[in-house]
Amino acid sequence: MDKMKLSFENKIIKNNFIVLKCDFDYQSYKTYLSKTLQLKKIIMEYDNLFDEAYIKIFNRVRDSITRAWRTYEKGDIRSAGNIIYNLLFSNKYLGHTLCTEFEKNNFVNTLYRGRIINDYSVIGSIDEFILQIFHIPFDKRNLVANERYSISGFPCLYLANSIDGVKAELEITELSHNFFIGDFKVNNSIKYFDLTPTFLKNLNQLSVTKIKVAMLKLLLLMACSIRVNKKKSNYCSNYVIPQLVTASIASKAKYNYRCIKYLSIKSYLNNKIDYNYVFIPEFQKDSLHDTKLLKMFDITPNEDYNIFVKTKETVVI
């Protein structure tokens, strides 16, 4: 059995299901269908690990994701959101809801956010710097672009776990006078939805049940990790599923966390491993920012990318 698990793990690694790549946006859906079918064929080769009952469960999860995708593109966004919401929070697979398999709670020391700021007048003080490096204010939703885990007009806060990760995301290769980084020291442990591929590590050491769950998680990870090489439009079909995941978490009543951790695809394609955290702000009528989220961090200018070159001041919110 151990040799079979190791053989299965090697095939999963060899075929690279972590980041799917295609040239054009319209190929995203077909790329997902093709790669998940390839994954299914590999699974079916190992019938001592995966029985017919499991294949049916695998098909259910895959069909839910593809159905949500197609439903969204037909314009029925509410129904598409309900499908992903139920996939994560309502339906049970192998005795568990998928959300319980993705939920993590860990302490992170410092996260980072970079900005390219040309107008120095908007950052005359540390307090102004903090607001500039924080999420886009609610009254400037028009500036929020379509991103992997955030819908146009919804100002999520993206943080990286390393400075190199920030540079990769902003495609910064050289130092420039207008590139700055804020250090986000985290005050408490973070509970988040873990969409990183770390669950694929050491598959051969897991129980058969855990391997089965891992393959279900991989189906969602693949749908959230499609890279389009040649973007030509504002609409990105490869963002449909990750954005529905964001919407599902944001709409979960009384949910005690609103954060997703995911692999930086830009770093991964450069043979580096970095992780991003996207925090989903809660709208507040009397504030332009999520003040509760702001209090999670002590934000200071990074020493090496400091807009206030001579300032060592630390401000605690």
Side-chain angles (χ1 to χ4, degrees):
M1 182 66 76
D2 289 341
K3 289 184 178 180
M4 187 172 295
K5 289 180 182 179
L6 183 59
S7 172
F8 178 73
E9 178 182 357
N10 289 336
K11 278 207 171 182
I12 295 298
I13 294 172
K14 179 181 178 181
N15 286 279
N16 187 13
F17 294 104
I18 295 176
V19 175
L20 313 188
K21 291 183 284 184
C22 57
D23 285 333
F24 299 102
D25 184 77
Y26 70 87
Q27 297 171 330
S28 298
Y29 181 78
K30 289 183 179 179
T31 298
Y32 179 76
L33 289 180
S34 175
K35 287 295 287 186
T36 52
L37 182 59
Q38 181 185 3
L39 176 60
K40 179 181 175 180
K41 288 179 178 178
I42 292 174
I43 287 173
M44 293 179 70
E45 291 175 12
Y46 293 83
D47 52 6
N48 285 347
L49 295 176
F50 307 98
D51 54 20
E52 290 186 10
Y54 175 76
I55 299 301
K56 291 180 180 179
I57 295 172
F58 182 92
N59 288 338
R60 278 176 57 204
V61 174
R62 180 176 182 263
D63 290 347
S64 292
I65 293 171
T66 56
R67 185 159 47 90
W69 204 330
R70 278 306 190 213
T71 301
Y72 182 99
E73 293 193 327
K74 290 178 181 177
D76 190 354
I77 299 174
R78 179 179 179 180
S79 295
N82 287 338
I83 293 169
I84 296 300
Y85 183 95
N86 290 333
L87 174 73
L88 297 176
F89 299 112
S90 300
N91 302 336
K92 288 190 175 183
Y93 308 96
L94 302 174
H96 301 278
T97 55
L98 280 183
C99 69
T100 60
E101 300 294 336
F102 284 109
E103 290 174 353
K104 297 286 180 63
N105 193 339
N106 288 313
F107 182 78
V108 180
N109 186 28
T110 305
L111 299 173
Y112 305 91
R113 178 169 167 82
R115 285 286 307 278
I116 296 173
I117 302 175
N118 295 312
D119 183 3
Y120 282 35
S121 67
V122 302
I123 40 177
S125 68
I126 296 290
D127 287 343
E128 289 177 341
F129 170 82
I130 289 173
L131 294 182
Q132 283 294 321
I133 208 74
F134 199 50
H135 73 71
I136 292 175
F138 295 124
D139 66 343
K140 294 183 178 180
R141 293 174 180 270
N142 59 297
L143 300 178
V144 181
N146 195 32
E147 301 293 346
R148 187 170 298 274
Y149 286 97
S150 58
I151 305 163
S152 296
F154 192 80
C156 289
L157 174 66
Y158 283 83
L159 302 178
N161 74 323
S162 73
I163 291 174
D164 284 342
V166 173
K167 291 180 180 179
E169 290 298 327
L170 294 178
E171 299 180 344
I172 299 290
T173 56
E174 297 180 0
L175 300 182
S176 63
H177 69 282
N178 59 351
F179 173 58
F180 309 104
I181 289 180
D183 292 355
F184 285 65
K185 184 179 179 182
V186 184
N187 292 321
N188 298 297
S189 62
I190 298 176
K191 189 172 183 181
Y192 55 87
F193 199 85
D194 190 357
L195 273 172
T196 67
T198 52
F199 62 86
L200 295 174
K201 189 176 181 180
N202 300 322
L203 274 178
N204 65 302
Q205 298 178 18
L206 300 179
S207 67
V208 173
T209 299
K210 286 291 185 181
I211 294 175
K212 289 179 177 179
V213 171
M215 293 303 100
L216 300 183
K217 293 171 68 174
L218 183 55
L219 285 171
L220 183 61
L221 174 67
M222 292 165 69
C224 294
S225 306
I226 301 174
R227 164 76 174 181
V228 174
N229 295 325
K230 300 175 183 178
K231 288 187 178 181
K232 290 188 175 181
S233 63
N234 292 327
Y235 173 70
C236 303
S237 66
N238 58 316
Y239 290 175
V240 167
I241 299 302
Q243 288 180 358
L244 289 176
V245 170
T246 299
S248 296
I249 291 175
S251 65
K252 178 69 173 173
K254 298 181 179 179
Y255 216 30
N256 61 350
Y257 75 93
R258 295 164 65 91
C259 178
I260 299 169
K261 179 182 178 182
Y262 66 99
L263 178 72
S264 169
I265 294 178
K266 290 183 179 179
S267 291
Y268 183 81
L269 295 177
N270 289 324
N271 299 315
K272 295 181 179 180
I273 299 297
D274 290 300
Y275 299 110
N276 295 328
Y277 293 77
V278 54
F279 293 85
I280 308 167
E282 291 189 62
F283 177 74
Q284 297 178 356
K285 292 181 180 179
D286 55 352
S287 176
L288 298 179
H289 298 86
D290 184 344
T291 54
K292 182 180 177 182
L293 178 60
L294 186 60
K295 290 178 180 178
M296 287 180 59
F297 310 102
D298 293 343
I299 305 173
T300 58
N302 181 269
E303 288 187 4
D304 296 323
Y305 302 89
N306 188 349
I307 193 166
F308 306 102
V309 178
K310 298 180 181 179
T311 300
K312 298 294 183 181
E313 180 181 1
T314 300
V315 176
V316 178
I317 298 297

